[in-house]
Amino acid sequence: GADPSRRGRLLRNSREAKEALCASGILQTVTPGPVFSLLPDLRSSKRIHRRLLSHGIFPPWIRYPGGPQEGYFRFAISSEHTPAQLENLIRALAP
């Protein structure tokens, strides 16, 4: 069967990462679920992309019909992300 501790880790990782991103001014609100998006302007998106790559994070840039025309970054927090990995993401996104 499924390991019940994974759900707890997922919820904790998601909450802690989103709270830290909100405290940094990166996110406006903590939303439920492990996914969050950033919709930067084009100039900021290039800077954010370079920072993420320099931290070893390969950011997904999403563009789909009916979505924001410019596109956006989409991140999914996992139960298997370590605290160090989440801290690295927060540092990479910090202004």
Side-chain angles (χ1 to χ4, degrees):
D3 178 0
S5 67
R6 291 174 69 188
R7 178 170 169 72
R9 285 194 314 268
L10 173 63
L11 295 173
R12 184 181 61 249
N13 283 352
S14 179
R15 183 188 67 248
E16 289 176 2
K18 288 180 177 183
E19 286 175 355
L21 292 167
C22 282
S24 298
I26 297 162
L27 293 178
Q28 299 302 310
T29 58
V30 175
T31 57
V35 177
F36 69 93
S37 299
L38 296 178
L39 288 86
D41 59 48
L42 187 58
R43 183 175 169 193
S44 295
S45 68
K46 291 178 188 287
R47 178 183 50 79
I48 292 168
H49 186 258
R50 284 190 304 269
R51 283 186 57 97
L52 289 164
L53 290 176
S54 74
H55 281 81
I57 299 168
F58 301 93
W61 183 253
I62 307 294
R63 290 183 68 187
Y64 65 91
Q69 183 177 357
E70 303 79 24
Y72 59 95
F73 292 109
R74 183 171 185 261
F75 299 90
I77 305 298
S78 162
S79 63
E80 302 310 303
H81 282 115
T82 65
Q85 289 171 320
L86 296 173
E87 289 171 19
N88 187 43
L89 174 64
I90 293 160
R91 277 193 310 275
L93 292 174

Coordinates of all heavy atoms in Angstrom, one line a residue:
G1 N 0.8 -1.2 0.0 CA 0.0 0.0 0.0 C 0.9 1.3 0.0 O 2.1 1.2 0.1
A2 N 0.2 2.3 -0.1 CA 0.9 3.6 -0.1 C 1.4 4.0 1.3 O 0.8 3.7 2.3 CB -0.1 4.7 -0.6
D3 N 2.5 4.7 1.3 CA 3.1 5.1 2.6 C 2.3 6.4 3.0 O 2.4 7.4 2.4 CB 4.6 5.4 2.3 CG 5.3 6.0 3.5 OD1 4.7 6.1 4.6 OD2 6.5 6.2 3.4
P4 N 1.6 6.3 4.2 CA 0.8 7.5 4.6 C 1.7 8.6 5.0 O 1.2 9.8 5.0 CB 0.0 6.9 5.8 CG 0.7 5.7 6.2 CD 1.4 5.1 5.0
S5 N 2.9 8.4 5.3 CA 3.8 9.6 5.7 C 4.1 10.5 4.5 O 4.4 11.6 4.7 CB 5.1 9.1 6.3 OG 5.9 8.4 5.4
R6 N 3.9 10.0 3.3 CA 4.2 10.8 2.1 C 3.2 11.9 2.0 O 3.6 13.0 1.7 CB 4.1 9.9 0.9 CG 5.3 8.9 0.8 CD 5.2 8.0 -0.3 NE 5.4 8.7 -1.6 CZ 5.2 8.2 -2.8 NH1 4.8 6.9 -2.9 NH2 5.4 8.9 -3.9
R7 N 2.0 11.7 2.4 CA 1.0 12.8 2.3 C 1.3 13.9 3.3 O 1.2 15.0 3.0 CB -0.4 12.2 2.6 CG -1.5 13.3 2.6 CD -2.9 12.8 2.6 NE -3.9 13.7 2.9 CZ -4.3 14.7 2.0 NH1 -3.8 14.8 0.8 NH2 -5.3 15.5 2.4
G8 N 1.7 13.5 4.5 CA 2.1 14.4 5.5 C 3.3 15.3 5.0 O 3.4 16.5 5.2
R9 N 4.3 14.6 4.4 CA 5.5 15.3 3.9 C 5.1 16.3 2.8 O 5.6 17.4 2.7 CB 6.5 14.3 3.4 CG 7.3 13.7 4.5 CD 8.6 13.0 4.0 NE 8.4 12.2 2.8 CZ 8.1 10.9 2.8 NH1 8.0 10.2 3.9 NH2 8.0 10.2 1.7
L10 N 4.2 15.8 1.9 CA 3.7 16.7 0.8 C 3.1 17.9 1.3 O 3.4 19.0 0.9 CB 2.8 15.9 -0.1 CG 2.1 16.7 -1.2 CD1 3.1 17.3 -2.1 CD2 1.0 15.9 -1.9
L11 N 2.1 17.8 2.3 CA 1.4 18.9 2.9 C 2.4 19.9 3.6 O 2.3 21.1 3.4 CB 0.3 18.4 3.8 CG -0.8 17.7 3.2 CD1 -1.7 17.1 4.2 CD2 -1.5 18.5 2.2
R12 N 3.3 19.3 4.3 CA 4.3 20.1 5.0 C 5.2 20.8 4.1 O 5.5 22.0 4.2 CB 5.1 19.3 6.0 CG 6.1 20.1 6.9 CD 7.0 19.2 7.8 NE 7.8 18.2 7.1 CZ 7.6 16.9 7.0 NH1 6.6 16.4 7.8 NH2 8.3 16.1 6.3
N13 N 5.8 20.1 3.1 CA 6.7 20.7 2.1 C 6.0 21.9 1.4 O 6.5 23.0 1.2 CB 7.2 19.7 1.1 CG 8.3 18.8 1.6 OD1 8.8 19.1 2.7 ND2 8.6 17.8 0.9
S14 N 4.7 21.6 0.9 CA 4.0 22.6 0.2 C 3.7 23.9 1.0 O 4.0 25.0 0.6 CB 2.7 22.0 -0.3 OG 1.9 23.0 -1.0
R15 N 3.2 23.6 2.3 CA 2.9 24.8 3.2 C 4.2 25.6 3.5 O 4.2 26.8 3.4 CB 2.3 24.2 4.4 CG 1.9 25.4 5.4 CD 1.4 24.8 6.8 NE 2.5 24.3 7.5 CZ 2.7 23.0 7.8 NH1 1.8 22.1 7.4 NH2 3.7 22.5 8.4
E16 N 5.3 24.9 3.9 CA 6.5 25.6 4.3 C 7.1 26.4 3.1 O 7.5 27.5 3.3 CB 7.5 24.6 4.9 CG 7.0 24.1 6.2 CD 8.0 23.0 6.8 OE1 9.0 22.7 6.2 OE2 7.7 22.5 7.9
A17 N 7.1 25.8 1.9 CA 7.7 26.5 0.8 C 6.8 27.7 0.4 O 7.4 28.8 0.2 CB 7.8 25.5 -0.4
K18 N 5.5 27.5 0.4 CA 4.7 28.6 0.0 C 4.7 29.7 1.0 O 4.7 30.9 0.7 CB 3.2 28.1 -0.2 CG 3.1 27.3 -1.5 CD 1.7 26.9 -1.7 CE 1.5 26.1 -3.0 NZ 0.1 25.7 -3.2
E19 N 4.7 29.4 2.3 CA 4.8 30.4 3.4 C 6.1 31.2 3.2 O 6.1 32.4 3.4 CB 4.7 29.8 4.7 CG 3.3 29.3 5.1 CD 3.2 28.6 6.4 OE1 4.2 28.3 7.1 OE2 2.1 28.3 6.8
A20 N 7.2 30.5 2.9 CA 8.5 31.2 2.8 C 8.5 32.1 1.5 O 9.0 33.2 1.6 CB 9.6 30.2 2.7
L21 N 7.9 31.6 0.5 CA 7.8 32.4 -0.7 C 6.9 33.7 -0.5 O 7.1 34.7 -1.1 CB 7.2 31.6 -1.9 CG 8.2 30.5 -2.4 CD1 7.5 29.5 -3.3 CD2 9.4 31.1 -3.1
C22 N 5.8 33.5 0.3 CA 5.0 34.7 0.6 C 5.7 35.6 1.5 O 5.7 36.9 1.2 CB 3.7 34.2 1.3 SG 2.4 33.5 0.3
A23 N 6.5 35.2 2.4 CA 7.3 36.0 3.3 C 8.3 36.8 2.5 O 8.7 37.9 2.9 CB 7.9 35.2 4.4
S24 N 8.8 36.2 1.4 CA 9.8 36.9 0.6 C 9.1 37.8 -0.4 O 9.8 38.5 -1.2 CB 10.6 35.8 -0.2 OG 11.3 35.0 0.6
G25 N 7.8 37.8 -0.5 CA 7.1 38.7 -1.4 C 6.9 38.1 -2.8 O 6.5 38.8 -3.7
I26 N 7.3 36.8 -3.0 CA 7.2 36.2 -4.3 C 5.8 35.8 -4.6 O 5.3 36.0 -5.7 CB 8.2 35.0 -4.3 CG1 9.6 35.5 -4.1 CG2 8.1 34.2 -5.6 CD1 10.6 34.5 -3.7
L27 N 5.1 35.2 -3.6 CA 3.7 34.8 -3.8 C 2.9 35.7 -3.0 O 3.3 36.2 -1.9 CB 3.5 33.4 -3.3 CG 4.1 32.2 -4.1 CD1 3.8 30.9 -3.4 CD2 3.7 32.2 -5.5
Q28 N 1.7 36.0 -3.4 CA 0.8 36.8 -2.7 C 0.0 36.1 -1.6 O -0.3 36.7 -0.6 CB -0.2 37.5 -3.7 CG 0.5 38.4 -4.7 CD 1.3 39.5 -4.1 OE1 0.8 40.2 -3.2 NE2 2.6 39.6 -4.5
T29 N -0.4 34.9 -1.8 CA -1.2 34.1 -0.9 C -0.7 32.7 -0.9 O -0.2 32.2 -1.9 CB -2.7 34.1 -1.2 OG1 -2.9 33.6 -2.5 CG2 -3.2 35.5 -1.1
V30 N -1.0 32.0 0.3 CA -0.7 30.6 0.4 C -2.0 29.9 -0.1 O -3.0 30.1 0.5 CB -0.4 30.1 1.8 CG1 -0.2 28.6 1.9 CG2 0.9 30.8 2.2
T31 N -1.9 29.1 -1.2 CA -3.1 28.4 -1.7 C -3.0 26.9 -1.4 O -1.9 26.4 -1.1 CB -3.1 28.6 -3.2 OG1 -1.9 28.1 -3.8 CG2 -3.3 30.0 -3.6
P32 N -4.1 26.2 -1.4 CA -4.0 24.8 -1.1 C -3.4 24.0 -2.3 O -3.4 24.5 -3.4 CB -5.5 24.4 -0.9 CG -6.2 25.4 -1.6 CD -5.4 26.7 -1.6
G33 N -2.8 22.9 -2.0 CA -2.2 22.1 -3.0 C -0.8 22.4 -3.2 O -0.3 23.4 -2.8
P34 N -0.1 21.5 -3.9 CA 1.4 21.5 -4.0 C 1.9 22.3 -5.2 O 3.1 22.4 -5.5 CB 1.8 20.1 -4.1 CG 0.6 19.4 -4.8 CD -0.6 20.2 -4.3
V35 N 1.0 22.9 -6.0 CA 1.4 23.6 -7.2 C 1.2 25.1 -7.1 O 0.3 25.6 -6.5 CB 0.5 23.1 -8.4 CG1 0.8 23.8 -9.7 CG2 0.7 21.6 -8.6
F36 N 2.2 25.8 -7.6 CA 2.1 27.3 -7.7 C 2.7 27.8 -9.0 O 3.5 27.1 -9.6 CB 2.7 28.0 -6.5 CG 4.2 27.9 -6.4 CD1 5.0 28.9 -6.9 CD2 4.8 26.8 -5.8 CE1 6.4 28.9 -6.9 CE2 6.2 26.8 -5.7 CZ 7.0 27.8 -6.2
S37 N 2.2 28.9 -9.4 CA 2.7 29.5 -10.7 C 3.2 30.9 -10.4 O 2.8 31.6 -9.5 CB 1.5 29.6 -11.7 OG 1.0 28.3 -12.0
L38 N 4.1 31.4 -11.3 CA 4.6 32.7 -11.3 C 4.4 33.3 -12.7 O 4.7 32.6 -13.7 CB 6.1 32.8 -11.0 CG 6.6 32.3 -9.6 CD1 8.1 32.4 -9.5 CD2 6.0 33.1 -8.5
L39 N 3.8 34.5 -12.7 CA 3.5 35.1 -14.0 C 4.3 36.4 -14.1 O 3.7 37.5 -14.1 CB 2.0 35.4 -14.1 CG 1.1 34.2 -14.3 CD1 0.7 33.6 -13.0 CD2 -0.1 34.6 -15.1
P40 N 5.6 36.3 -14.3 CA 6.4 37.5 -14.4 C 6.3 38.1 -15.8 O 5.9 37.5 -16.8 CB 7.8 37.0 -14.2 CG 7.8 35.6 -14.8 CD 6.4 35.1 -14.4
D41 N 6.6 39.4 -15.9 CA 6.7 40.0 -17.2 C 7.9 39.4 -17.9 O 8.8 38.8 -17.4 CB 6.8 41.6 -17.1 CG 8.0 42.0 -16.3 OD1 9.1 41.5 -16.6 OD2 7.9 42.9 -15.4
L42 N 8.0 39.7 -19.2 CA 9.0 39.1 -20.0 C 10.4 39.3 -19.5 O 11.3 38.4 -19.4 CB 8.9 39.5 -21.5 CG 9.8 38.8 -22.5 CD1 9.5 37.3 -22.5 CD2 9.6 39.4 -23.9
R43 N 10.7 40.6 -19.2 CA 12.1 40.9 -18.7 C 12.4 40.2 -17.4 O 13.5 39.6 -17.3 CB 12.1 42.4 -18.4 CG 13.5 42.9 -18.0 CD 13.6 44.4 -17.9 NE 14.8 44.8 -17.3 CZ 15.0 46.0 -16.8 NH1 14.1 46.9 -17.0 NH2 16.1 46.3 -16.2
S44 N 11.4 40.2 -16.5 CA 11.7 39.4 -15.2 C 11.8 37.9 -15.4 O 12.5 37.2 -14.8 CB 10.5 39.7 -14.2 OG 10.5 41.0 -13.9
S45 N 11.0 37.4 -16.4 CA 11.0 36.0 -16.6 C 12.4 35.5 -17.1 O 12.9 34.4 -16.7 CB 10.0 35.5 -17.6 OG 10.3 36.0 -18.9
K46 N 13.1 36.3 -17.9 CA 14.5 35.9 -18.3 C 15.4 35.9 -17.1 O 16.3 35.0 -17.0 CB 14.9 36.9 -19.4 CG 14.2 36.7 -20.7 CD 14.6 37.7 -21.7 CE 13.8 37.7 -23.0 NZ 14.0 36.6 -23.8
R47 N 15.3 36.9 -16.3 CA 16.2 37.0 -15.1 C 15.9 35.8 -14.1 O 16.8 35.2 -13.7 CB 15.9 38.3 -14.3 CG 16.8 38.5 -13.1 CD 16.4 39.8 -12.3 NE 15.0 40.0 -12.1 CZ 14.3 39.4 -11.2 NH1 14.9 38.6 -10.3 NH2 13.0 39.7 -11.0
I48 N 14.6 35.5 -13.9 CA 14.2 34.4 -13.0 C 14.7 33.1 -13.6 O 15.3 32.2 -12.9 CB 12.7 34.4 -12.8 CG1 12.3 35.6 -12.0 CG2 12.3 33.1 -12.2 CD1 10.8 35.8 -12.0
H49 N 14.6 32.9 -14.9 CA 15.0 31.7 -15.6 C 16.5 31.5 -15.4 O 17.0 30.4 -15.0 CB 14.7 31.8 -17.1 CG 15.0 30.5 -17.8 ND1 16.1 30.4 -18.6 CD2 14.3 29.4 -17.9 CE1 16.1 29.2 -19.2 NE2 15.0 28.5 -18.7
R50 N 17.3 32.6 -15.6 CA 18.8 32.4 -15.4 C 19.1 32.1 -13.9 O 20.0 31.3 -13.7 CB 19.5 33.8 -15.8 CG 19.6 34.0 -17.3 CD 20.5 35.1 -17.6 NE 20.1 36.4 -17.0 CZ 19.2 37.3 -17.6 NH1 18.7 37.0 -18.8 NH2 18.9 38.4 -16.9
R51 N 18.4 32.7 -13.0 CA 18.7 32.5 -11.5 C 18.4 31.0 -11.2 O 19.1 30.3 -10.5 CB 17.9 33.4 -10.6 CG 18.5 34.8 -10.6 CD 17.7 35.6 -9.6 NE 17.7 35.0 -8.2 CZ 18.6 35.3 -7.3 NH1 19.5 36.2 -7.4 NH2 18.5 34.7 -6.1
L52 N 17.2 30.5 -11.7 CA 16.9 29.1 -11.4 C 17.9 28.2 -12.0 O 18.3 27.2 -11.3 CB 15.5 28.9 -12.0 CG 14.3 29.5 -11.2 CD1 13.0 29.5 -12.1 CD2 14.1 28.8 -9.9
L53 N 18.3 28.4 -13.2 CA 19.3 27.5 -13.9 C 20.6 27.6 -13.1 O 21.2 26.5 -12.9 CB 19.5 27.9 -15.3 CG 18.4 27.6 -16.3 CD1 18.7 28.2 -17.7 CD2 18.1 26.2 -16.3
S54 N 21.0 28.7 -12.6 CA 22.2 28.8 -11.8 C 22.2 28.1 -10.5 O 23.2 27.8 -9.9 CB 22.6 30.3 -11.6 OG 21.8 30.9 -10.6
H55 N 20.9 27.8 -10.0 CA 20.7 27.1 -8.8 C 20.4 25.6 -9.1 O 20.0 24.8 -8.2 CB 19.6 27.7 -8.0 CG 20.0 28.9 -7.2 ND1 20.1 30.1 -7.8 CD2 20.3 29.0 -5.9 CE1 20.4 31.0 -6.9 NE2 20.6 30.3 -5.7
G56 N 20.6 25.2 -10.3 CA 20.4 23.8 -10.7 C 18.9 23.4 -10.8 O 18.6 22.2 -10.7
I57 N 18.1 24.4 -11.0 CA 16.6 24.2 -11.1 C 16.2 24.4 -12.6 O 16.6 25.5 -13.1 CB 15.8 25.1 -10.2 CG1 16.2 24.8 -8.7 CG2 14.3 24.9 -10.4 CD1 15.7 25.8 -7.8
F58 N 15.6 23.5 -13.2 CA 15.2 23.6 -14.6 C 13.7 23.9 -14.7 O 12.9 23.0 -14.6 CB 15.6 22.3 -15.4 CG 17.0 22.0 -15.3 CD1 17.5 21.2 -14.3 CD2 17.9 22.6 -16.1 CE1 18.9 21.0 -14.1 CE2 19.3 22.4 -16.0 CZ 19.8 21.6 -15.0
P59 N 13.4 25.2 -14.8 CA 12.0 25.7 -14.6 C 11.1 25.4 -15.9 O 11.5 25.6 -17.0 CB 12.2 27.2 -14.5 CG 13.4 27.5 -15.2 CD 14.3 26.3 -15.0
P60 N 10.0 24.9 -15.6 CA 9.0 24.7 -16.7 C 8.3 26.0 -17.1 O 7.8 26.7 -16.2 CB 8.0 23.6 -16.2 CG 8.1 23.8 -14.7 CD 9.5 24.3 -14.4
W61 N 8.4 26.4 -18.3 CA 7.7 27.6 -18.8 C 6.5 27.1 -19.6 O 6.6 26.3 -20.5 CB 8.6 28.4 -19.7 CG 8.0 29.7 -20.2 CD1 7.6 29.9 -21.5 CD2 7.8 30.8 -19.5 NE1 7.1 31.2 -21.6 CE2 7.2 31.8 -20.3 CE3 8.1 31.2 -18.1 CZ2 6.9 33.1 -19.9 CZ3 7.7 32.5 -17.7 CH2 7.2 33.4 -18.6
I62 N 5.3 27.5 -19.1 CA 4.0 27.0 -19.6 C 3.4 28.0 -20.5 O 3.2 29.2 -20.1 CB 3.1 26.6 -18.5 CG1 3.7 25.6 -17.5 CG2 1.8 26.0 -19.0 CD1 4.1 24.3 -18.0
R63 N 3.0 27.6 -21.7 CA 2.1 28.4 -22.6 C 1.1 27.5 -23.2 O 1.5 26.5 -23.8 CB 2.9 29.1 -23.7 CG 3.8 30.1 -23.1 CD 4.6 30.8 -24.2 NE 3.6 31.6 -25.0 CZ 3.9 32.2 -26.2 NH1 5.2 32.1 -26.6 NH2 3.1 32.9 -26.8
Y64 N -0.2 27.8 -23.0 CA -1.2 26.9 -23.6 C -2.3 27.8 -24.1 O -2.5 28.9 -23.6 CB -1.7 25.9 -22.6 CG -2.4 26.5 -21.4 CD1 -3.8 26.6 -21.4 CD2 -1.7 26.9 -20.2 CE1 -4.5 27.2 -20.3 CE2 -2.4 27.4 -19.2 CZ -3.8 27.6 -19.2 OH -4.4 28.1 -18.1
P65 N -3.1 27.3 -25.1 CA -4.2 28.1 -25.6 C -5.2 28.4 -24.5 O -5.6 27.5 -23.7 CB -4.9 27.1 -26.6 CG -3.8 26.1 -27.0 CD -2.9 26.0 -25.7
G66 N -5.6 29.7 -24.4 CA -6.5 30.1 -23.4 C -5.9 30.5 -22.1 O -6.5 31.1 -21.2
G67 N -4.6 30.2 -21.9 CA -3.9 30.7 -20.7 C -3.2 32.0 -20.9 O -3.5 32.7 -22.0
P68 N -2.5 32.5 -20.0 CA -1.8 33.8 -20.1 C -1.0 33.8 -21.4 O -0.2 32.9 -21.6 CB -1.0 33.9 -18.9 CG -1.6 33.0 -17.9 CD -2.2 31.9 -18.7
Q69 N -1.1 34.8 -22.2 CA -0.5 34.8 -23.5 C 1.1 34.8 -23.4 O 1.7 34.1 -24.2 CB -0.9 36.1 -24.3 CG -0.3 36.1 -25.7 CD -0.7 37.4 -26.4 OE1 -1.6 38.1 -26.0 NE2 -0.2 37.5 -27.6
E70 N 1.6 35.5 -22.4 CA 3.1 35.5 -22.2 C 3.6 34.2 -21.7 O 4.8 34.0 -21.8 CB 3.4 36.7 -21.3 CG 2.9 38.0 -21.7 CD 1.4 38.2 -21.3 OE1 0.9 37.6 -20.4 OE2 0.8 39.0 -22.0
G71 N 2.8 33.4 -21.0 CA 3.3 32.2 -20.4 C 3.6 32.4 -18.9 O 3.5 33.5 -18.4
Y72 N 4.0 31.4 -18.3 CA 4.3 31.5 -16.8 C 5.2 30.3 -16.4 O 5.2 29.2 -17.1 CB 3.0 31.5 -16.0 CG 2.1 30.4 -16.2 CD1 2.1 29.3 -15.3 CD2 1.2 30.3 -17.2 CE1 1.3 28.2 -15.5 CE2 0.4 29.3 -17.4 CZ 0.4 28.2 -16.5 OH -0.4 27.1 -16.7
F73 N 5.8 30.4 -15.2 CA 6.5 29.3 -14.6 C 5.5 28.6 -13.8 O 4.7 29.1 -13.1 CB 7.6 29.8 -13.7 CG 8.8 30.5 -14.4 CD1 9.0 31.8 -14.3 CD2 9.7 29.7 -15.1 CE1 10.0 32.4 -15.0 CE2 10.7 30.3 -15.8 CZ 10.9 31.7 -15.7
R74 N 5.6 27.2 -13.8 CA 4.8 26.4 -12.9 C 5.7 25.4 -12.1 O 6.5 24.8 -12.7 CB 3.8 25.6 -13.8 CG 2.8 24.8 -13.0 CD 1.8 24.2 -13.9 NE 0.7 23.5 -13.2 CZ 0.7 22.2 -13.1 NH1 1.6 21.4 -13.6 NH2 -0.3 21.6 -12.4
F75 N 5.4 25.4 -10.8 CA 6.2 24.6 -9.9 C 5.3 23.6 -9.2 O 4.2 24.0 -8.8 CB 7.0 25.4 -8.9 CG 7.9 26.4 -9.6 CD1 7.5 27.6 -9.9 CD2 9.2 26.0 -9.8 CE1 8.4 28.5 -10.5 CE2 10.1 26.9 -10.4 CZ 9.7 28.1 -10.8
A76 N 5.7 22.4 -9.0 CA 5.0 21.4 -8.2 C 5.9 20.9 -7.1 O 7.0 20.4 -7.4 CB 4.5 20.2 -9.1
I77 N 5.5 21.1 -5.9 CA 6.2 20.6 -4.7 C 5.9 19.1 -4.5 O 4.7 18.7 -4.7 CB 5.8 21.4 -3.5 CG1 6.0 22.9 -3.7 CG2 6.6 20.9 -2.3 CD1 7.5 23.3 -4.0
S78 N 6.9 18.4 -4.2 CA 6.7 16.9 -4.0 C 6.9 16.5 -2.5 O 7.6 17.2 -1.8 CB 7.7 16.2 -4.9 OG 7.9 14.9 -4.5
S79 N 6.4 15.4 -2.2 CA 6.7 14.8 -0.8 C 8.2 14.4 -0.7 O 8.7 14.3 0.4 CB 5.8 13.6 -0.5 OG 6.1 12.6 -1.5
E80 N 8.8 14.2 -1.9 CA 10.2 13.8 -1.9 C 11.2 14.9 -2.0 O 12.4 14.6 -1.9 CB 10.4 12.8 -3.0 CG 9.5 11.6 -3.0 CD 9.5 10.9 -1.6 OE1 10.6 10.5 -1.1 OE2 8.4 10.8 -1.0
H81 N 10.8 16.1 -2.1 CA 11.7 17.2 -2.1 C 12.3 17.4 -0.6 O 11.6 17.2 0.3 CB 11.0 18.6 -2.4 CG 10.9 18.7 -3.9 ND1 9.6 18.8 -4.5 CD2 11.8 18.9 -4.9 CE1 9.8 19.0 -5.8 NE2 11.0 19.0 -6.1
T82 N 13.6 17.6 -0.6 CA 14.2 17.7 0.7 C 14.1 19.2 1.2 O 13.9 20.1 0.4 CB 15.7 17.3 0.6 OG1 16.4 18.2 -0.2 CG2 15.9 15.9 0.1
P83 N 14.3 19.4 2.5 CA 14.3 20.8 2.9 C 15.4 21.6 2.2 O 15.2 22.8 1.8 CB 14.6 20.7 4.4 CG 14.0 19.4 4.8 CD 14.3 18.5 3.6
A84 N 16.6 21.0 1.9 CA 17.6 21.7 1.2 C 17.2 22.1 -0.2 O 17.5 23.2 -0.7 CB 18.9 20.9 1.2
Q85 N 16.5 21.2 -0.9 CA 16.0 21.5 -2.2 C 15.0 22.7 -2.2 O 15.0 23.5 -3.1 CB 15.4 20.3 -2.9 CG 16.4 19.2 -3.2 CD 15.8 17.9 -3.7 OE1 14.8 17.5 -3.1 NE2 16.3 17.3 -4.7
L86 N 14.1 22.6 -1.2 CA 13.1 23.7 -1.1 C 13.7 25.0 -0.8 O 13.4 26.1 -1.3 CB 12.0 23.3 -0.1 CG 11.2 22.1 -0.5 CD1 10.3 21.7 0.6 CD2 10.4 22.3 -1.8
E87 N 14.7 25.0 0.1 CA 15.5 26.2 0.4 C 16.2 26.8 -0.8 O 16.3 28.0 -1.0 CB 16.5 26.0 1.6 CG 15.8 25.8 2.9 CD 16.8 25.3 4.0 OE1 18.0 25.4 3.8 OE2 16.3 24.7 5.0
N88 N 16.7 25.9 -1.6 CA 17.4 26.3 -2.8 C 16.4 27.0 -3.8 O 16.8 28.0 -4.4 CB 18.0 25.1 -3.5 CG 18.9 25.4 -4.7 OD1 19.7 26.4 -4.6 ND2 18.8 24.7 -5.7
L89 N 15.2 26.5 -3.9 CA 14.2 27.1 -4.7 C 13.9 28.5 -4.2 O 13.8 29.4 -5.0 CB 12.9 26.2 -4.8 CG 11.7 26.8 -5.5 CD1 12.0 27.0 -7.0 CD2 10.5 25.9 -5.3
I90 N 13.7 28.6 -2.9 CA 13.3 29.9 -2.3 C 14.4 30.9 -2.5 O 14.2 32.0 -2.9 CB 13.0 29.7 -0.8 CG1 11.7 28.8 -0.7 CG2 12.8 31.0 -0.1 CD1 11.5 28.2 0.6
R91 N 15.7 30.5 -2.4 CA 16.8 31.4 -2.6 C 16.9 31.8 -4.1 O 17.1 33.0 -4.4 CB 18.1 30.7 -2.2 CG 18.5 30.8 -0.7 CD 19.9 30.4 -0.5 NE 20.3 29.2 -1.1 CZ 20.2 28.0 -0.5 NH1 19.6 27.9 0.7 NH2 20.6 26.9 -1.2
A92 N 16.6 30.9 -5.0 CA 16.7 31.2 -6.4 C 15.6 32.2 -6.8 O 15.8 33.0 -7.7 CB 16.5 29.9 -7.2
L93 N 14.4 32.1 -6.2 CA 13.3 33.0 -6.5 C 13.3 34.3 -5.8 O 12.7 35.2 -6.2 CB 12.0 32.3 -6.3 CG 11.7 31.1 -7.2 CD1 10.4 30.4 -6.8 CD2 11.6 31.6 -8.7
A94 N 14.1 34.4 -4.7 CA 14.1 35.6 -3.9 C 14.6 36.8 -4.7 O 15.5 36.7 -5.5 CB 15.0 35.4 -2.7
P95 N 13.9 37.9 -4.5 CA 14.3 39.1 -5.3 C 15.6 39.6 -4.9 O 16.2 39.4 -3.9 CB 13.2 40.1 -4.9 CG 12.3 39.5 -3.9 CD 12.8 38.1 -3.7

